[in-house]
Amino acid sequence: MEEIILQLIMHSGDARSCAMEAIQSAKSGDYEKAKCLLEESADKLILAHNAQTTLIQAEANGNKAEFSLLLIHAQDHLMSTITVKDLAEEFVEIYKRIR
């Protein structure tokens, strides 16, 4: 169970990093790189969601996960990463329009 939780944290962190890099790329005018980074962020979020789905399915099958600080952190990390990615998409568009 901990391995799956750590995958959720890792993939969420990678997705967040890509989204933040996309903003920096757009800020410097490299919109193609920003687009690629947003796509990479989306791909990493899929992996994070897959880990989350594994946890949900396990619980639905009666293998209830014990609530831990690590599990709460993983869920929090995923949710904040989704927000960062959504905002990064908006920032990239704004930078495009400004230039």
Side-chain angles (χ1 to χ4, degrees), residues 6 10 12-13 15 17-18 24-27 29 34 37 40 42 46 51 54 56 60 68 73 79-80 82 87 91-92:
L6 291 173
M10 178 187 67
S12 295
S17 294
C18 289
Q24 294 305 312
S25 294
K27 187 176 183 179
L37 286 163
E40 189 176 346
I46 289 170
T54 300
I56 292 168
S68 66
H73 174 67
M79 297 308 296
S80 66
I82 292 168
L87 289 173
F91 274 107
V92 169

Side-chain angles (χ1 to χ4, degrees), residues 15-49:
R16 182 185 178 103
S17 294
C18 289
M20 294 301 292
E21 262 188 80
I23 294 171
Q24 294 305 312
S25 294
K27 187 176 183 179
S28 65
D30 192 347
Y31 305 112
E32 191 58 39
K33 184 176 180 183
K35 179 184 173 190
C36 289
L37 286 163
L38 286 174
E39 289 171 359
E40 189 176 346
S41 179
D43 291 342
K44 303 226 182 246
L45 270 175
I46 289 170
L47 296 173
H49 274 288

Side-chain angles (χ1 to χ4, degrees), residues 49-93:
H49 274 288
N50 289 344
Q52 182 188 44
T53 299
T54 300
L55 294 171
I56 292 168
Q57 287 174 336
E59 186 167 321
N61 289 327
N63 300 324
K64 206 166 190 181
E66 189 175 311
F67 282 94
S68 66
L69 187 55
L70 191 60
L71 178 57
I72 293 167
H73 174 67
Q75 284 299 120
D76 181 54
H77 208 47
L78 176 60
M79 297 308 296
S80 66
T81 297
I82 292 168
T83 301
V84 168
K85 183 190 160 288
D86 290 345
L87 289 173
E89 290 171 346
E90 294 299 319
F91 274 107
V92 169
E93 283 303 311

